[in-house]
Amino acid sequence: MNEPAFRPPRSLALPFDPLLLLATVGIMICSLAAIGASTESNAFVNRQAMFFAVGFVAMIAISRFDYTRTRELKYGLYGLSIVLIFATWAFGGVTRGSRRAIQLPFFEVQTSELVKVLLILVLSAVVVDRARDLGSRQTTARIMLLALIPAALVMLQPDLGGALVYVMTGVAVLFVAGVPWYRLAVLAGLGAAAIAFVLAVGPAVGVSVLQDYQLERLTSFLHPSDVQGDAGYQQNQSLIAVGAGQRTGRGELSSQTNLSFLPETHTDFIFAVVGERWGFVGAAFILTLYALLLWRGLRILTISKNLYGALIAGAIVAMILFQLFVNVGMNIGIMPITGLPLPLLSYGGSSVLTTLIALGLLQSIYAQGRAAAATKGRVLTM
Amino acid sequence: MVDPVADRRPPITPQLALRVAVFGGIALVLFAVIFFRLWYLQVLSGDQYLAEANDNRVRELRIQAPRGEIVDRNGRVLVTNRRAIVVQLDPAKLPEAERDLAATWGQRAGQRAARPKGRRGEEVPIPPIPDPVLEARYERLAEVLGTSANAIHRTVIRQLAQVPYADVRVKTDVPRSMLNYISERKAQFPGVRVEQVYLRQYPRDQIAAQLLGTVGEISPAQLRKKRYRDVTQGTIIGQDGLEYEYDNYLRGKDGLRRVQVDALGRPKGNLREVDPTAGREVKLSLDVRLQKTAQDALGEVGGGKPGAAVALDPRNGEVLAMASYPSFDPAVFTKPLTQAQYDKLVSDENGAPIFNRAIGSAYPTASTFKIVTAMAALETGTRSADEVINDGGVFKLGEQEFKNAGDAVNGAIDLRKAMEVSSDVYFYQLGAKLNNLRGQVLQTWARKLGIGRRTGIDLPGEFRGLVPDKEWRRDLAQEERSCRRKKKISQTANVYVAAAAGCGISDMRPWSAGDNVNLSVGQGDLQATPLQLATAYTTLANGGRRLKPHLGLEINDSQGRAIQRIESEGTTKVDFDPANRQAIMDGLKLAASGPSGTSTDVFKGWPHDRYPVYGKTGTAERQPKADQSWYAAYVPDERKPIVVVATVEEGGFGADTAAPIARQMLSQWFFGEAGEVVRGESRSR
């Protein structure tokens, strides 16, 4: 097989997706404003700005490289993921009962975040390898197994949200790759059975996969005001904060935020801060930015120069959409409390870095796709 | 090297397009869900959540208004306030188990107290703390207060059993530093409130203790009453005595501070503050010095026996003194009362100090009642004042013999002389004669002058008393008959047998002339309060105006400036011939200063020319108890006339204890000092 003559364009001349960039920068600005509104000192704003700066540089850098090169590294990347998770287990500091981060001199690395993006690359690469055998049960099983191993490991940290994201990534990759519908249906069935076991059947027969507090958090959203514990309280205060924001927000009078009725204002419940301070208008504005970002992600999926890029783009869109829905849902009382951050909006270096790396990959897929189309046109067939 | 075939793909396959479309569709649905939910929360139910947010951040704190002071007629303070820092527990923040425990314990303790003394058995023990979490809470608090968890638990149970709705006062008078310490650690002390409150203070200790009454938090039942319609929950109101009667003026209006708090309940600035309005000062007609003399004299002369004394201004019914012995320190009610303290206040063995005998106890008033019999006889023309009869020492009514006290034989006497020597025979005869007239005139005159009816004084808990008559006896017999029917006792059984079986209210005999003879000298079934007797003497003294005695004189602002005078109302005109009054007055004067007056020796050395005393002794038989001593007196004066009544239960002869008490009160009133105790020798009744 002859490789057609192909001169890669100079990397600095590669284009950016301007709308994706606009959405990214827009959400980052909103994040700084929301964190500024939710905390008294400027420390968190400053640190988040620093994370953004580092992450933004990383994003630009990654977008200049051809993501396709990472395909060869898939086993190394998978190995790195597992090592990172184990390293956290070994060297991680304990915060609020969970061991999720490795303490570095300047900030702590929440490894389960970085693994999110690593896993996307690995799973996409494996699917590409098995592209001819997509319909087989073995492909589906292998992908899910590859996703479930790190998921099970981070569950022990415990990081339930991270584990769910891994599983979702696997499903998303299979979905975009074109795995037959009935396989996906079986997966959905198995997932539903697993949830039923963890939440209802398991506790009833004495097998507890989740800690009590996790179970309480997961179920309290169904009846927040009845729950005496922390979770019900948090959910309730979040609802009050969002609701009290009404159409245009309470501005400086945001008492739920300012008087600390709302917990974890700069991380898990940042959306409620936006809801209270800027009201429906503010929340809708931020959601619109996310919608723009996700739309560009899907668009990039379709212009990818290869399957690998399409799968990565699909998985990234799925990851961001999933975290967005779970986090915002938790803020507005329709999803359980899982501790997933809102990508780019929540304070947190690891999450910001991971998201910006993912967005850098999207930009790279866009740039490569555009470059390939420009040099060869979209005529080449297999 | 990457497999180029696998890596290449057509621009977009229909299958991928479908998948992307489904993907986009899912994203759209999720966004729609979020938007609808946000719309519902923020636009449709925003008002409700805003209200909840404000509920979260706003706390309303009551600023207690100081109650008004109570002062005597000369502005001497009887009741004032002091600031105290108290530690209280909010009952709503206590676990249900603890509140249930209090309710059951209260019930059982109440049942025990209802059983007669001696058969109550063991005291009901307070069960242990029902909840380890609560125990830890109590322990934390106990450590700060320097007490024990169990002591707090017992306090909580006792107080909740009494007043389940009000904050439990765990400790009174703690240092201010405690307020700061606990306020800063609210999370560690759930339901604990450290507050500055005003407590009542009584600078004159036991003086007028029974009149002043107590204060306490308004109860749920009281909150529903019309009387308290503008009072809010948690307000301290007068619960008894003058505090109750003049609560309207004394109460003032509590202020309100709206504070913004954070999630831990720490205050973050004031939102609005309404200053409290201090209560009004109530000035009483009482004279503290006379009151003190009366109380001291009752204790000193009465020899520790219970008694009462009243002094009225006969012109207007102002109460100048109202004493009841034994007394107590009203300050005990400002702190949580222990069972022992409570028992001490109400037990009979201890003389029930809390009880105001001047209006709440009624007794036969013996010879002091003779003014009523005399007036009835004179007004009905049964006997003229000058008519002389022979007092042979005994009055015979059929088989019955009624004798003078000490079997005295007074010989030929008219009304004045009969009053002077306190002849019983003279009045026995009148009693028998008056019984033959239509309409029970003796009883009518007793009520006209003020006996056997509530005086209407501005104090709660006044007893009505009793002037025995035909109807009363008939009703009593009726009651006894139905009681016996109910308890299956023979209607013909002896009264003592019936009493043993639970009845024995009456021997069921009808009204007889003998009853009237007994009443004519204030014996038998007559029951009059000391205040009623004082009212009767006042009506006679002022020429026929039956006054409503009153303690409240003026309402002043908190600086003591008068804003309203409490008008005495309800004066009833009683018509009698001034000549008849004069005859009786002459007799009273002789009784206190005549050569053979029953209390002449008590008033030895008294300047009768300046302050003539019109006084009557009384010695009431109260079998099986010892005799009760009475004295009633009127001293006219241009500036400060006075009517005094004193009585000592089991005090013996009137001249022996009651009259000396009255003399000391009069001496205090006119000369500013009580003087020596002068006991009289008269052994008449």
Side-chain angles (χ1 to χ4, degrees), chain B residues 444-607:
Chain B
T444 310
W445 272 99
R447 293 190 191 107
K448 268 190 185 175
L449 292 175
I451 290 171
R453 63 161 81 228
R454 289 197 184 88
T455 62
I457 189 174
D458 44 2
L459 279 177
E462 191 187 3
F463 184 58
R464 185 159 159 268
L466 172 73
V467 178
D469 59 10
K470 278 180 191 154
E471 205 177 321
W472 165 75
R473 246 202 198 293
R474 201 175 53 227
D475 290 350
L476 215 58
Q478 188 60 44
E479 212 177 308
E480 172 73 11
R481 268 191 291 276
S482 60
C483 175
R484 289 186 181 194
R485 263 198 301 279
K486 220 176 278 169
K487 302 210 168 172
K488 310 234 185 301
I489 306 167
S490 158
Q491 295 290 351
T492 53
N494 182 301
V495 65
Y496 299 107
V497 176
C503 289
I505 304 156
S506 148
D507 53 11
M508 297 192 289
R509 66 177 173 79
W511 179 258
S512 69
D515 284 326
N516 223 42
V517 170
N518 266 328
L519 178 61
S520 70
V521 293
Q523 301 283 4
D525 298 305
L526 172 68
Q527 285 185 44
T529 66
L531 182 65
Q532 284 172 359
L533 190 65
T535 310
Y537 274 76
T538 299
T539 312
L540 182 72
N542 66 26
R545 283 183 303 124
R546 192 176 74 229
L547 301 164
K548 194 161 135 184
H550 60 99
L551 281 155
L553 204 56
E554 276 172 19
I555 305 299
N556 300 335
D557 66 16
S558 49
Q559 267 74 49
R561 287 185 298 254
I563 35 183
Q564 187 184 337
R565 206 178 156 77
I566 299 169
E567 294 299 334
S568 79
E569 293 165 349
T571 302
T572 313
K573 187 81 189 98
V574 181
D575 283 320
F576 46 69
D577 187 338
N580 291 341
R581 170 186 175 270
Q582 194 53 52
I584 299 169
M585 295 301 283
D586 289 348
L588 288 174
K589 189 173 182 184
L590 285 169
S593 55
S596 34
T598 51
S599 54
T600 301
D601 50 359
V602 176
F603 286 94
K604 200 161 71 185
W606 179 269

Side-chain angles (χ1 to χ4, degrees), chain A residues 17-38:
Chain A
D17 181 345
L19 287 176
L20 179 60
L21 202 61
L22 180 74
T24 308
V25 174
I27 294 172
M28 291 198 296
I29 292 169
C30 288
S31 167
L32 293 178
I35 292 170
S38 69

Side-chain angles (χ1 to χ4, degrees), chain B residues 367 370 391 404-405 408-427 586-592 594-600 615-617 682-685:
Chain B
S367 302
K370 284 174 181 166
D391 173 0
N404 274 339
V409 178
N410 294 308
I413 48 171
D414 64 356
L415 173 69
R416 293 175 177 84
K417 189 72 181 173
M419 295 280 283
E420 178 184 355
V421 301
S422 201
S423 159
D424 288 337
V425 170
Y426 184 93
F427 290 94
D586 289 348
L588 288 174
K589 189 173 182 184
L590 285 169
S596 34
T598 51
S599 54
T600 301
K616 186 74 201 79
T617 53
S682 168
R683 293 294 170 256
S684 77
R685 293 187 182 274

Side-chain angles (χ1 to χ4, degrees), chain A residues 1 3 71 132 175 178-179 237 240 242-243 246-247 250 255-256 259-261 275 280 287 304 306 332, chain B residues 2 5 7-9 11 15 19 23 31 34 37 42-43 46-47 49-50 52 56-57 261-263:
Chain A
M1 270 174 275
E3 175 92 272
R71 249 191 80 192
R132 291 200 180 89
F175 176 80
V179 163
Q237 296 304 332
I240 293 172
V242 173
Q246 295 186 301
R247 283 181 175 81
R250 306 176 72 193
S255 62
Q256 287 290 105
L259 299 172
S260 348
F261 288 102
F280 184 77
L287 287 172
S304 164
N306 50 23
I332 58 179
Chain B
V2 175
V5 176
D7 198 34
R8 299 261 164 77
R9 64 170 187 81
Q15 192 205 22
R19 296 276 161 124
F23 202 161
F31 268 86
I34 290 175
R37 176 69 175 172
Q42 301 192 292
V43 178
D47 292 338
Y49 285 111
L50 187 61
E52 279 190 49
N56 260 347
R57 76 186 172 102
V261 295
D262 70 4

Side-chain angles (χ1 to χ4, degrees), chain A residues 45-63:
Chain A
V45 180
N46 292 341
R47 283 178 69 83
Q48 181 83 339
M50 199 183 76
F51 297 146
F52 280 153
V54 173
F56 198 75
V57 170
M59 178 184 84
I60 299 295
I62 287 167
S63 71

